């Protein structure tokens, strides 16, 4: 296997085609070797079984000939046979041996002879270390008490293996060549569709060539959709920011130019300066909200990342602090601001972010209210968690606008929002703070009657 080194010193990823091809080749070789070994073992066992059966049959035939024609008649009948015949007396002395040159020592210690004397028949196998043969013995006890033994030499398993080794090596070479060719073809057929699928990732629908790749294709399409949506939102955000920043800057530039060129009457300069101050405040608020939203939406690390430090806190006290801070704004708008908070509603949250969330919700409720209206902050402990509800008796939100109010720069009444200094980012910030805290947001509103926004936080751990 070829492993290419990358310039950074790390090994390059292995080729899928090479890996599959080598594994297919290894499987083919292993299968051949296992098959060859099992086949030889099976053939040897069949051969051994057949030799034993032949010896038993031959021993029975010799014994019957011996009992009918005597030793000389039996020897004459099997003179040309490859089977060795030995007649052994009950005391182990050899009475007859058909194999020329065989040592006629006492055979009483031989296991097949002892078994035949005791049980009527016996068998054994002994290996010759010099000839490479296995000798199979089968003995039967004759009617006169002697033991007639037959023997036959057969190749041992290892001698058969050595004899078959050249053919096995030749087969191995052939199988290697065939396996290599098959591995290349199969690998190309397997990897080819995957490569085609990879080329189609840049665009269009992804058609997985195999069922197992369907989740992979779905994940890629989902990621592509997420990236497309993120890109769309980025473009919209850039366009909205450009538009929102352009409006106050144009006003500031226009009033400053009138003052600079002397076209403004002396009595109008103070009013123009006030408008410049108002637009500047609006511009600063917009920039602040944009930066805050970027920190909330951005990665956890980085110079602009918003530090997230959750800790045990009382949600009711946070609502009371915001209400106290916004009382003056409520009075200027002729709106009554009330707090109805249950004691000790503990949640685990970032106190600064929760303060910002409550302030944005309360500020919105005051801005989009009507003179003589009311804003109520309610804090309760429920089975779901700590619940904050900001309820107003203001203008309400038409049903068709409700799904979009948490989007960036979305305004139901653009003229009123700009007149009251709204940036269109308050509820988007609320949404992201809620996401950071795994909180749920529920909006209920009826046009002309008011709006209620409820945020449910997990209880303190």
């Amino acid at each position: 296997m070829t492993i290419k080194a990358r310039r950074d010193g790390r090994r390059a990823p292995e080729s899928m085609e090479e890996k599959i091809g080598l594994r297919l080749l290894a499987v083919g070789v292993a299968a051949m070797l296992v098959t060859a070994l099992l086949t030889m073992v099976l053939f040897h066992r069949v051969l051994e079984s057949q030799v034993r059966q032949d010896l038993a049959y031959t021993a029975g035939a010799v014994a019957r000939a011996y009992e009918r024609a005597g030793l000389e008649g039996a020897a004459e009948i099997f003179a040309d046979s490859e089977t060795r015949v030995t007649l052994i007396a009950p005391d182990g002395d050899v009475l007859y041996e058909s194999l020329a040159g065989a040592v006629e020592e006492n055979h009483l210690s031989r296991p097949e002879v002892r078994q035949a004397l005791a049980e009527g028949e016996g068998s054994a196998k002994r290996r010759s270390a010099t000839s490479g043969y296995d000798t199979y013995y089968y003995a039967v006890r004759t009617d006169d008490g002697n033991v007639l033994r037959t023997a036959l030499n057969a190749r041992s398993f290892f001698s058969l293996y050595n004899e078959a080794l050249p053919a096995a090596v030749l087969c191995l070479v052939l199988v290697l060549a065939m396996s290599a060719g098959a591995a290349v073809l199969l690998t190309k057929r397997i990897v080819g569709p995957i490569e085609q699928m990879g080329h189609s990732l840049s665009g269009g629908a992804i058609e997985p060539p195999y069922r197992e790749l369907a989740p992979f294709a779905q994940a890629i399409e989902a990621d592509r959709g997420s990236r497309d949506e993120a890109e769309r939102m980025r473009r919209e955000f850039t366009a909205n920011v450009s538009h929102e920043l352009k409006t106050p800057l144009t006003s500031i530039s226009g009033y400053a130019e009138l003052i600079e060129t002397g076209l403004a009457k002396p009595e109008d300069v103070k009013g123009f300066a006030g408008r410049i101050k108002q637009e500047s405040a609006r511009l600063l608020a917009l920039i602040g909200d944009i930066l805050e939203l970027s920190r909330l939406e951005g990665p956890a690390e980085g110079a602009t990342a918003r530090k997230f430090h959750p800790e045990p806190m009382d949600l009711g006290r946070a609502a009371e602090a915001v209400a106290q801070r916004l009382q003056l704004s409520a009075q200027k708008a002729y709106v009554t601001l009330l707090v109805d908070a249950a004691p000790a509603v503990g949640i685990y949250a970032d106190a600064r972010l929760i303060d910002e969330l409550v302030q944005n919700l309360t500020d919105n409720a005051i801005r989009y209210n009507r003179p003589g209206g009311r804003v109520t902050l309610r804090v309760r402990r429920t089975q779901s968690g700590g619940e904050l509800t900001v309820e107003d008796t203001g203008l309400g939100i038409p049903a068709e606008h409700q799904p979009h109010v948490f989007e960036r720069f979305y305004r139901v009444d653009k003229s009123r929002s700009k007149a009251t200094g709204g940036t269109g980012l308050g509820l988007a910030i609320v949404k992201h703070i809620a996401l950071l805290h795994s909180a749920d947001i529920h909006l209920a509103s009826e046009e002309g009657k008011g709006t209620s926004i409820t945020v449910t936080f997990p209880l303190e751990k």
Side-chain angles (χ1 to χ4, degrees), residues 44 48 51-52 55 82-86 97 99 110-112 123-138 149-157 159:
H44 187 266
E48 186 176 87
V51 169
R52 292 182 185 276
L55 279 177
E82 294 181 358
T83 305
R84 176 184 172 187
V85 179
T86 307
E97 174 62 67
L99 179 64
R110 306 293 171 88
E112 69 276 7
S123 63
K125 180 182 77 169
R126 288 188 285 279
R127 177 171 300 172
S128 172
T130 57
S131 65
Y133 282 83
D134 286 335
T135 303
Y136 294 85
Y137 298 93
Y138 193 87
R149 187 187 71 179
T150 57
L152 184 65
N153 291 332
R155 288 291 182 92
S156 67
F157 174 77
S159 64

Side-chain angles (χ1 to χ4, degrees), residues 305-317:
R306 177 68 182 261
K307 303 301 181 182
F308 183 58
H309 298 296
E311 58 186 358
M313 62 169 294
D314 189 338
L315 185 58
R317 289 186 179 179

Side-chain angles (χ1 to χ4, degrees), residues 244-259 272 275-280 282:
E244 294 294 333
L245 292 176
K246 183 178 180 181
T247 303
L249 285 173
T250 301
S251 297
I252 292 173
S253 176
Y255 291 130
E257 185 178 356
L258 289 174
I259 296 174
F272 288 167
R275 292 189 180 184
I276 290 174
K277 180 181 178 182
Q278 182 181 2
E279 293 295 337
S280 298
R282 180 184 164 201

Side-chain angles (χ1 to χ4, degrees), residues 109-175:
S109 62
R110 306 293 171 88
E112 69 276 7
V113 175
R114 295 170 62 88
Q115 187 179 6
L117 289 172
E119 303 176 7
E121 58 183 22
S123 63
K125 180 182 77 169
R126 288 188 285 279
R127 177 171 300 172
S128 172
T130 57
S131 65
Y133 282 83
D134 286 335
T135 303
Y136 294 85
Y137 298 93
Y138 193 87
V140 294
R141 189 179 59 207
T142 60
D143 291 341
D144 58 5
N146 293 327
V147 174
L148 189 65
R149 187 187 71 179
T150 57
L152 184 65
N153 291 332
R155 288 291 182 92
S156 67
F157 174 77
F158 292 104
S159 64
L160 288 172
Y161 180 80
N162 290 333
E163 185 175 313
L165 187 59
V169 171
L170 179 59
C171 289
L172 176 61
V173 172
L174 292 176
V175 169

Side-chain angles (χ1 to χ4, degrees), residues 15 23 29 41 63 87 124 135-136 173 184 195 197 203 210 217 219 277 286 315 341 350 376 409 421 448 459:
S15 167
R23 289 186 178 180
V29 173
V41 170
L87 183 64
T135 303
Y136 294 85
V173 172
V184 171
E195 290 180 342
M197 174 182 165
Y210 307 112
K277 180 181 178 182
L286 180 61
L315 185 58
D350 187 314
T376 305
F409 296 112
L459 290 173

Side-chain angles (χ1 to χ4, degrees), residues 363-370 392 394-396 413 416-417 420 422:
D363 188 59
N364 262 21
I366 294 172
R367 288 177 188 274
Y368 297 100
N369 217 310
R370 59 187 59 170
D392 65 64
L395 305 176
D413 187 346
R416 182 179 178 89
S417 176
T420 57

Side-chain angles (χ1 to χ4, degrees), residues 9-75:
R10 293 181 295 172
R11 293 193 308 173
E14 291 180 305
S15 167
M16 180 180 179
E17 188 171 345
E18 290 179 358
K19 182 177 286 187
I20 294 177
L22 288 177
R23 289 186 178 180
L24 286 175
L25 185 61
V27 169
V29 173
M32 192 216 70
L33 292 176
V34 171
T35 301
L37 182 61
L38 291 178
T39 301
M40 292 190 67
V41 170
L42 178 62
F43 282 171
H44 187 266
R45 288 189 176 182
V46 171
L47 175 63
E48 186 176 87
S49 176
Q50 187 63 44
V51 169
R52 292 182 185 276
Q53 291 179 10
D54 290 346
L55 279 177
Y57 176 78
T58 302
V62 172
R64 288 192 296 272
Y66 167 73
E67 291 168 356
R68 287 197 303 268
L71 180 59
E72 292 180 0

